[in-house]
Amino acid sequence: MRKPFVAGNWKMNTDSYTSVELAERIASGAMEAAASGSVTVVVCPPFVYLQSVTKALSASSIGVGAQDVYYEPKGAFTGEISPSMLKDIGCTYCLCGHSERRHVIGETDELINKKVTASIVGGLLPILCVGELLSEREASQTNVVVTRHLKNGLAGLSAEKVSAVTIAYEPVWAIGTGLTATPQQAQEVHNFIRKLLGQMYNDQLAEEIRILYGGSAKPNNAAELMGQPDIDGLLVGGASLKADDFLAIIQTAM
Ligand code: PEP
């Protein structure tokens, strides 16, 4: 039985005051979910607010994740943040390969693979994001793209290491656009991903790994999305910046 998982990606939003305020509102509103332990809840603030958000959430069971990570442990890598630095300030998760990093910043599968690998080795739990562009969906390339992201992103990792990973299927055309994949479209790809992981590793891993959907998830579509057999939770962008909306989504997952 896979535990539902709701993660909020705050992207490049909030400031030193509103990040803590948002975290505190989520923590107090999610007390029931936290107490029952029935949902994994994680927020991913910008790097500079990670420490204050971690502190604000310290009495709750809400986890904190980074939106990115670098693969080297330390040294002359100006501007980068290592897994051990993130661990040091209480981070447990990190996003790897978010579509904005792939398509705006230009990250490659090879770089993302190094980040996933270094995260696991460094004791972080990576959330590997995969998903196709609109043009790729229209050209019936969704499964090809998702296969490439998964195979390259997880290259060289054993089944044991991959069991630390959560996958997020995020069709790029649905991120921040208000367009959501229909529950059926999302379920189809989630089921494809689960079967592929079964082939790449084993049935147990495929059965146990959590696969989140991301792309304009909102309180009004969360229940139907999470009601699909292979959708284990949601990676939420815009709606995670509104405490009431994020809490309503967490409530749906309970
Ligand atoms: C995201 O940032 O991962 C995301 C899914 O954003 P949104 O919910 O705003 O589409």
Side-chain angles (χ1 to χ4, degrees):
M1 183 70 184
R2 299 180 295 270
K3 186 170 169 177
F5 189 156
V6 177
N9 174 15
W10 296 0
K11 312 195 190 199
M12 201 170 71
N13 292 299
T14 70
D15 58 28
S16 59
Y17 179 80
T18 55
S19 56
V20 171
E21 188 191 40
L22 178 59
E24 284 170 348
R25 285 192 61 199
I26 293 167
S28 65
M31 235 133 51
E32 200 192 327
S36 68
S38 56
V39 187
T40 303
V41 180
V42 172
V43 295
C44 302
F47 277 131
V48 286
Y49 307 131
L50 278 171
Q51 201 160 10
S52 46
V53 166
T54 302
K55 205 166 149 210
L57 295 175
S58 60
S60 79
S61 65
I62 297 174
V64 178
Q67 297 173 17
D68 186 30
V69 64
Y70 197 57
Y71 62 86
E72 292 286 357
K74 63 176 182 168
F77 304 101
T78 303
E80 298 294 347
I81 307 284
S82 70
S84 62
M85 289 171 173
L86 294 173
K87 282 277 286 182
D88 183 38
I89 56 155
C91 254
T92 37
Y93 289 84
C94 64
L95 302 181
C96 291
H98 188 277
S99 76
E100 286 145 21
R101 297 215 59 89
R102 289 180 189 270
H103 300 293
V104 181
I105 314 290
E107 288 194 4
T108 61
D109 277 328
E110 193 191 1
L111 177 60
I112 293 161
N113 174 245
K114 287 180 177 173
K115 292 183 175 193
V116 172
T117 305
S119 299
I120 298 169
V121 171
L124 290 173
L125 300 169
I127 300 173
L128 172 62
C129 304
V130 303
E132 81 286 2
L133 298 163
L134 183 58
S135 55
E136 291 165 336
R137 172 161 284 264
E138 285 171 349
S140 305
Q141 292 299 298
T142 298
N143 291 353
V144 173
V145 173
V146 163
T147 301
R148 189 175 68 231
H149 287 171
L150 278 175
K151 289 201 166 165
N152 293 343
L154 300 174
L157 291 167
S158 64
E160 195 197 339
K161 288 215 161 50
V162 174
S163 65
V165 179
T166 298
I167 306 295
Y169 167 59
E170 300 206 300
V172 182
W173 48 273
I175 298 179
T177 58
L179 294 174
T180 318
T182 64
Q184 293 68 30
Q185 280 174 322
Q187 163 59 23
E188 224 171 81
V189 183
H190 281 234
N191 183 258
F192 174 78
I193 291 172
R194 202 175 295 290
K195 286 196 175 132
L196 179 62
L197 290 168
Q199 288 160 21
M200 287 165 64
Y201 299 99
N202 56 60
D203 289 348
Q204 191 187 340
L205 181 130
E207 192 48 43
E208 290 176 358
I209 199 162
R210 290 183 290 184
I211 308 174
L212 315 184
Y213 167 79
S216 300
K218 305 267 182 288
N220 66 4
N221 57 25
E224 214 188 332
L225 285 162
M226 277 190 277
Q228 303 302 311
D230 290 296
I231 300 184
D232 305 314
L234 299 170
L235 177 53
V236 185
S240 72
L241 292 166
K242 295 181 199 128
D244 289 345
D245 284 1
F246 193 57
L247 288 166
I249 292 172
I250 295 169
Q251 196 65 36
T252 312
M254 284 178 69

